[in-house]
Amino acid sequence: MSIKKLIASGAAVLGLCAAFAVGASAEEDVVTVLVDNVNVVFDQEPVILDGRTLVPARAVFERAGAEVSWDQESLTATIVRGDYTVTITYGDTALYRNGERIELDIPAIMLADRIMLPVRAISEAMDFAVTWDGHHSMVLVATNGKPYRAYAFLRTGFQTLEDTAEFYSNGTALENGIDLDNDGTPETVSFSSTQDMSAVTTPVLSINGIDYTAGLGSLTSAYSIAVVDIDGSDSTKEIVVSENGDTLTAHFYRYENGILKVLSDGSTPSVISYASKLLFSGTGYIISDLAGTCFVDIMVTGGVYRLEDQSVELYRMRSIESIYGRNLYRVYDDNMLYHVIYTGSYTGGSYKDITDTGVISSGDLQQFKILDGYVDTDDPRYIELYIELPDGTTAVIKPYQT
């Protein structure tokens, strides 16, 4: 059933006025909800009323690890998770978090015997983070409070390395209690950043008191370290060490049976270059931010990687044609630079080998429309976008490479 039919049936049930404002930015009829990047299955589809997404309470918040109960006499839903108890009553214009009244933009409704709650209000009451992905008509809920950045070519969201890491440092740090190899015994991890690996006199990386600096391989410097679970389907964690430089380079390792193993990209060690933020998802994908920028919560990039069988592999971007004609507005400070070629015509792929161009920053691209584009089939990290600026000027932008 489409959103419009659901809204109409909801209005009939409630005896409400006939007209509701449906979110005009949605490009698909059915709203989907992901909690920590896991799709929520509903027996009653979410609806959009007055620009707000309402969802069945039990399905979403049980997926988020909360206990949900319903009192038929008072028509009140109670949601309990950790230190929070949230109550919301059908028709009320407020919810209560630990007794504190919080006003709602739209009241809870009943639809097909389900209490439908405004997902943003209730999630924020639980200190969740909520992102609306208008390209996929999708709500991304993060129970750790760190907002996801939606990705234009996959139905998933991404968070920065810092937001997803169990342990992160870009200086000197010691962390006790990380079970790197899932043997039930926590490891002690210590790290000291350095500009010059050849000149170090003390360990850069130690695990359980053993110096693993030599195991880091070909690094010339060490800027940061993170322990992160890239692939949630297995029982191990990964270590990410980044080199210093204007363009950072991430290297990936796994600690097993006292051995620090280098993760590979085929037959060579896996490395990913990025400008400022290395992005991860909860399902094992990695994006290089070097080839991306974020507009209206949509990551536009060409580099997608996935960890499988201790190998990090580059995956091809899905069809770029799906975002042609979209007006994008910058909402994320990613400090990106792009090659820019001002032109009134465009042939896809014709600018790949051209480096003597102008440069434009993402700060100067507050708004543009995507007219056309190109992704290299051999190296999908390379992407061209043919865009129209608000003053009508057209140009090609592509990732900045020296």
Side-chain angles (χ1 to χ4, degrees):
M1 182 182 293
S2 71
I3 282 287
K4 293 179 180 179
K5 290 180 181 177
L6 285 171
I7 291 175
S9 64
V13 169
L14 295 171
L16 299 177
C17 296
F20 288 101
V22 180
S25 63
E27 296 199 347
E28 300 177 17
D29 273 346
V30 178
V31 174
T32 56
V33 179
L34 271 64
V35 175
D36 295 335
N37 262 346
V38 177
N39 188 56
V40 179
V41 178
F42 299 106
D43 56 6
Q44 167 60 59
E45 292 180 354
V47 297
I48 300 177
L49 303 181
D50 289 341
R52 300 293 185 267
T53 302
L54 284 82
V55 298
R58 187 176 300 277
V60 171
F61 297 104
E62 286 186 345
R63 167 60 68 183
E67 295 182 5
V68 182
S69 59
W70 171 252
D71 182 75
Q72 181 62 34
E73 183 175 352
S74 63
L75 301 180
T76 298
T78 300
I79 302 168
V80 179
R81 184 180 187 271
D83 296 330
Y84 293 122
T85 298
V86 175
T87 59
I88 186 165
T89 301
Y90 162 58
D92 199 347
T93 59
L95 61 82
Y96 293 84
R97 181 176 70 178
N98 295 344
E100 175 190 2
R101 181 182 174 90
I102 300 175
E103 293 295 332
L104 300 175
D105 293 330
I106 186 172
I109 68 170
M110 292 290 290
L111 186 61
D113 296 325
R114 300 289 186 274
I115 185 74
M116 307 288 289
L117 309 181
V119 65
R120 181 175 295 277
I122 197 73
S123 295
E124 289 177 348
M126 286 282 188
D127 284 341
F128 297 163
V130 179
T131 301
W132 168 248
D133 174 5
H135 181 68
H136 292 122
S137 300
M138 184 168 64
V139 179
L140 295 162
V141 179
T143 61
N144 65 1
K146 307 290 187 179
Y148 279 104
R149 295 173 66 181
Y151 183 49
F153 304 103
L154 292 173
R155 288 177 171 274
T156 189
F158 293 83
Q159 296 177 317
T160 66
L161 176 63
E162 297 93 321
D163 288 343
T164 56
E166 296 183 25
F167 166 48
Y168 176 83
S169 172
N170 60 3
T172 300
L174 176 68
E175 178 73 15
N176 293 298
I178 299 181
D179 190 357
L180 295 173
D181 50 6
N182 199 44
D183 64 355
T185 302
E187 274 71 46
T188 299
V189 180
S190 63
F191 173 77
S192 294
S193 62
T194 178
Q195 293 284 348
D196 185 358
M197 290 285 284
S198 66
V200 297
T201 57
T202 58
V204 173
L205 174 63
S206 294
I207 301 174
N208 291 337
I210 300 174
D211 183 3
Y212 284 90
T213 304
L216 296 176
S218 61
L219 273 71
T220 59
S221 60
Y223 168 74
S224 67
I225 185 174
V227 174
V228 64
D229 188 3
I230 299 175
D231 185 357
S233 66
D234 61 19
S235 59
T236 57
K237 298 180 177 66
E238 287 70 44
I239 298 172
V240 185
V241 179
S242 292
E243 290 184 278
N244 304 62
D246 294 334
T247 299
L248 303 175
T249 302
H251 300 250
F252 301 87
Y253 309 87
R254 180 172 286 164
Y255 177 78
E256 292 178 307
N257 301 319
I259 299 173
L260 189 66
K261 300 180 178 180
V262 178
L263 297 184
S264 65
D265 182 1
S267 60
T268 60
S270 169
V271 295
I272 296 177
S273 296
Y274 62 106
S276 59
K277 296 290 186 183
L278 190 60
L279 304 178
F280 288 78
S281 84
T283 54
Y285 289 88
I286 309 168
I287 297 187
S288 167
D289 204 28
L290 183 64
T293 192
C294 191
F295 296 83
V296 195
D297 294 327
I298 295 178
M299 170 61 73
V300 180
T301 185
V304 182
Y305 300 78
R306 188 165 64 192
L307 175 64
E308 285 187 344
D309 299 326
Q310 300 193 29
S311 176
V312 178
E313 297 183 2
L314 179 63
Y315 274 64
R316 300 190 184 282
M317 180 193 288
R318 294 192 180 180
S319 173
I320 193 174
E321 288 84 357
S322 63
I323 59 173
Y324 291 169
R326 288 185 58 80
N327 286 297
L328 301 186
Y329 300 84
R330 180 169 175 263
V331 296
Y332 184 86
D333 185 15
D334 50 13
N335 300 316
M336 295 298 301
L337 293 177
Y338 295 89
H339 289 290
V340 59
I341 305 99
Y342 294 99
T343 176
S345 60
Y346 175 68
T347 300
S350 59
Y351 298 92
K352 183 175 182 181
D353 298 323
I354 299 177
T355 57
D356 185 17
T357 70
V359 176
I360 192 170
S361 71
S362 57
D364 295 324
L365 288 170
Q366 295 294 328
Q367 175 186 348
F368 63 84
K369 177 186 287 187
I370 297 179
L371 303 176
D372 204 340
Y374 169 82
V375 180
D376 191 296
T377 56
D378 295 322
D379 181 9
R381 289 169 295 186
Y382 177 78
I383 181 174
E384 292 174 0
L385 296 179
Y386 184 48
I387 66 172
E388 180 182 324
L389 299 171
D391 64 1
T393 302
T394 54
V396 175
I397 59 172
K398 64 177 188 171
Y400 181 76
Q401 297 171 335
T402 55

